[in-house]
Amino acid sequence: MSQSTASSHPEIRETVRRLCTQFPGEYWRKLDRERAYPSDFVQTLTKNGFLSILIPEEFGGSGLDLSAATAVLEEIHRSGCNGGACHAQMYTMGTLLKHGTPEQKAKYLPKVASGELRLQAFGVTEPSSGTDTTRITTFARREGDNYIVNGQKIWISRAEHSDLMVLLVRTTARDEAAKPSDGMSVLLVDMRTAVGNGLTIRPIRTMLNHASTELFFDDLKVPVENLIGVEGKGFKYILDGMNAERILIASECIGDGRFFIDRASAYAKDRSVFGQPIGQNQGIQFPIARAYIQLSAASGMVDKAAAMFDSGEACGTEANMAKMLASEASWYAADTCLQTHGGFGFAEEYDIERKFRETRLYQVAPISTNLILSHVATHVLELPKSF
Ligand SMILES: Cc1cc2nc3c(=O)[nH]c(=O)nc-3n(C[C@H](O)[C@H](O)[C@H](O)COP(=O)(O)OP(=O)(O)OC[C@H]3O[C@@H](n4cnc5c(N)ncnc54)[C@H](O)[C@@H]3O)c2cc1C
């Protein structure tokens, strides 16, 4: 590898890299063409315990911290693989772990840890609310021992490959709640019984293979015992989980960026035009060096945010900044790598165009760059709010 390797968790990194060699570019290209799910890859990570590393040992996981999880995802992405198919199995359970009852945790977490239950769908976004989550309208009406759910979600990843889903619903209408962020609740939906009984999943074909779907709820019954935490307080629980998600996705961007820099450097040394390696020209060298500098800075921010998360400090701002810097650094590295490859960058067999499409997502999801800028402007710099 052309770059110095990140030093934290060397054994985890080495093992993940070794596992990833079983899933070379052609494996991902075929899935990408067919828009198919990487079941073998996910099974291999599950079997080796990498998707349960954040689950405490008492529930069958390895009880490691977020910093260890960032090492796993960074190496997956640096190897040319894509953790998007299963990264949520690592962190979605955080809502249950932090806010679930002892009975709920005992019932679900050991099975999530073993991989017997896939808890990797997270239903928040709706077509008409967009980023303004307080305007979701999917509603759960209490009827005896059940909630009856009606509404619609969009962009819900992996819904077809998940046994359980953490779902954010309104239990009080926005205009009847004390404040807009009140009156939302989190339900744990058992997809195995829900589909065909009030829940319809419709896949959305997108520019990348991310198992995206749209969900339609039509009088879906969810037992009241599947409410997580206190009714009406769900927005706060979801926000809690978002910091982990943003830091982990930032680490995937760091891995993508390292992949692009590795590939660009190797190609620039190898490809000769006008009788010399293209990498001898500063017009080729400098963008790659700039990508490396930007990525190194972003990586430091990801490490900082993960360390703050692991020590229990409030890290919303740092998680946001890490995600923004990492997604922009990986995108610059992607563009540089493509340009370095000239026409070959567009050929499927180089995997550059696939990774280029994949890494672009992270400036939009799970939160878009403008919303991060707005958070820093108003919460950190105390500038007047625009909305
Ligand atoms: C492939 C994919 C997978 C996803 N997976 C999931 C999932 O599993 N679960 C889930 O719940 N959601 C998921 N999402 C949704 C994702 O979180 C949202 O797409 C993202 O948060 C942006 O929201 P939006 O698409 O509604 O954009 P909008 O809110 O409609 O915003 C559109 C654009 O306008 C900008 N904008 C909006 N308001 C302002 C403002 N006030 N000032 C400046 N700019 C503004 C935004 O930054 C954005 O660029 C996924 C999305 C994609 C594409």
Side-chain angles (χ1 to χ4, degrees):
M1 287 186 186
S2 56
Q3 302 165 64
S4 60
T5 304
S7 56
S8 71
H9 308 287
E11 284 168 17
I12 289 180
R13 289 175 185 276
E14 174 54 34
T15 311
V16 172
R17 274 202 292 272
R18 194 162 28 78
L19 292 178
C20 286
T21 60
Q22 299 168 36
F23 302 95
E26 61 200 13
Y27 172 81
W28 295 99
R29 289 196 289 275
K30 185 167 185 296
L31 294 168
D32 189 62
R33 272 194 299 273
E34 296 167 0
R35 290 295 187 269
Y37 188 73
S39 302
D40 291 345
F41 173 71
V42 175
Q43 219 162 28
T44 300
L45 289 178
T46 306
K47 230 173 40 203
N48 285 273
F50 285 115
L51 299 185
S52 58
I53 65 175
L54 293 173
I55 299 180
E57 283 175 297
E58 61 173 307
F59 297 115
S62 6
L64 295 177
D65 58 15
L66 199 72
S67 154
T70 64
V72 172
L73 291 173
E74 182 184 323
E75 292 306 326
I76 287 174
H77 280 249
R78 184 177 190 168
S79 303
C81 301
N82 189 344
C86 53
H87 54 203
Q89 179 80 1
M90 279 182 167
Y91 57 76
T92 310
M93 64 80 209
T95 309
L96 181 60
L97 179 64
K98 209 161 167 197
H99 306 286
T101 61
E103 294 73 29
Q104 287 172 331
K105 290 193 243 187
K107 181 172 176 188
Y108 295 112
L109 287 177
K111 289 183 180 168
V112 174
S114 70
E116 187 183 333
L117 281 180
R118 296 165 305 169
L119 169 49
Q120 53 177 1
F122 180 63
V124 174
T125 310
E126 296 188 6
S128 56
S129 64
T131 311
D132 188 357
T133 305
T134 67
R135 292 194 187 272
I136 63 165
T137 55
T138 296
F139 200 90
R141 183 182 82 247
R142 179 86 187 250
E143 217 175 86
D145 290 338
N146 289 302
Y147 285 104
I148 310 296
V149 182
N150 282 285
Q152 192 182 342
K153 296 280 173 186
I154 195 165
W155 301 123
I156 310 310
S157 307
R158 302 162 299 270
E160 294 171 297
H161 306 282
S162 207
D163 302 305
L164 300 169
M165 170 170 60
V166 165
L167 178 69
L168 187 70
V169 292
R170 275 226 163 260
T171 38
T172 304
R174 190 177 190 268
D175 51 11
E176 287 168 20
K179 42 186 189 132
S181 57
D182 280 352
M184 284 179 270
S185 304
V186 172
L187 300 178
L188 192 63
V189 175
D190 191 328
M191 308 292 273
R192 297 164 300 176
T193 51
V195 175
N197 292 302
L199 171 62
T200 305
I201 305 180
R202 191 183 295 162
I204 308 174
R205 197 173 165 93
T206 61
M207 70 187 258
L208 73 167
N209 185 19
H210 204 80
S212 302
T213 68
E214 201 171 2
L215 308 181
F216 299 88
F217 301 90
D218 183 11
D219 286 341
L220 172 72
K221 273 188 191 164
V222 178
V224 168
E225 66 185 36
N226 285 23
L227 172 74
I228 298 183
V230 177
E231 188 182 286
K233 300 286 169 214
F235 186 64
K236 188 185 162 305
Y237 306 156
I238 292 293
L239 282 187
D240 278 353
M242 283 177 171
N243 289 337
E245 180 182 46
R246 283 169 200 178
I247 296 167
L248 289 174
I249 282 176
S251 72
E252 295 189 340
C253 294
I254 298 297
D256 281 345
R258 295 199 192 286
F259 166 90
F260 290 121
I261 294 169
D262 287 341
R263 291 294 182 96
S265 307
Y267 191 79
K269 284 177 209 155
D270 188 54
R271 170 78 168 166
S272 271
V273 181
F274 297 111
Q276 63 179 30
I278 55 168
Q280 203 171 327
N281 302 300
Q282 291 183 328
I284 289 287
Q285 282 177 7
F286 285 5
I288 304 174
R290 182 180 295 276
Y292 178 74
I293 292 166
Q294 290 180 354
L295 200 83
S296 301
S299 176
M301 193 72 223
V302 177
D303 290 346
K304 178 177 177 184
M308 288 175 73
F309 183 95
D310 287 332
S311 63
E313 284 175 72
C315 64
T317 296
E318 288 72 16
N320 271 320
M321 294 199 297
K323 208 284 291 187
M324 178 178 142
L325 288 174
S327 64
E328 291 188 347
S330 74
W331 177 240
Y332 179 75
D335 196 39
T336 297
C337 185
L338 192 107
Q339 193 70 17
T340 303
H341 280 74
F344 289 106
F346 294 83
E348 276 185 9
E349 66 174 288
Y350 280 74
D351 294 311
I352 312 286
E353 60 82 33
R354 172 177 60 84
K355 293 293 279 179
F356 180 93
R357 286 183 279 118
E358 288 173 358
T359 213
R360 183 61 179 84
L361 172 65
Y362 295 130
Q363 284 176 79
V364 171
I367 183 171
S368 56
T369 304
N370 275 359
L371 271 292
I372 293 177
L373 292 170
S374 167
H375 170 90
V376 172
T378 56
H379 286 80
V380 182
L381 306 177
E382 297 176 352
L383 291 163
K385 289 190 172 178
S386 68
F387 57 87

